[in-house]
Amino acid sequence: MRLGFDATSVTAEGKGLARFQGEFLGELARIGLVPDLTVFVPTGADTARLPSVSGWRYRTVSTRPMIAWEQFGLPRSARRERLDAVVTTSERAALWGPARVAYIFEHPRH
């Protein structure tokens, strides 16, 4: 299975979601369960801080405006990379494209 990960919140000034995406990738690298991964990062992302894993590819993409990335850019990029599924933290799924695994998280008090 060819898997993608939408890490388009990872920026130098990013907090919350950016931190989650970076740490998620770090854990995937540490446990070694995903040998083939395409990671979409925004223009200007500090990829030096992200894990370097043989078989992982970082693809820089334009995310402005974000809704255009989510609805059109991500499906097109996933098709270009021939991905079977994409993991995303966005709650807005595109109307077309590959299967998406939405990772939605909330604070336990809510």
Side-chain angles (χ1 to χ4, degrees), residues 63-82:
T63 59
R64 300 285 185 229
M66 185 58 83
I67 191 76
W69 159 250
E70 292 171 337
Q71 294 297 308
F72 304 106
L74 180 57
R76 265 188 251 139
S77 296
R79 185 174 54 208
R80 187 178 323 113
E81 296 290 329
R82 296 186 172 149

Side-chain angles (χ1 to χ4, degrees), residues 37-98:
L37 183 67
T38 300
V39 182
F40 299 108
V41 295
T43 303
D46 185 6
T47 56
R49 295 178 45 202
L50 297 174
S52 176
V53 177
S54 177
W56 286 20
R57 294 158 306 287
Y58 288 94
R59 301 292 189 241
T60 302
V61 296
S62 174
T63 59
R64 300 285 185 229
M66 185 58 83
I67 191 76
W69 159 250
E70 292 171 337
Q71 294 297 308
F72 304 106
L74 180 57
R76 265 188 251 139
S77 296
R79 185 174 54 208
R80 187 178 323 113
E81 296 290 329
R82 296 186 172 149
L83 302 178
D84 298 307
V86 175
V87 177
T88 182
T89 53
S90 174
E91 73 283 3
R92 294 182 298 249
L95 299 174
W96 61 283

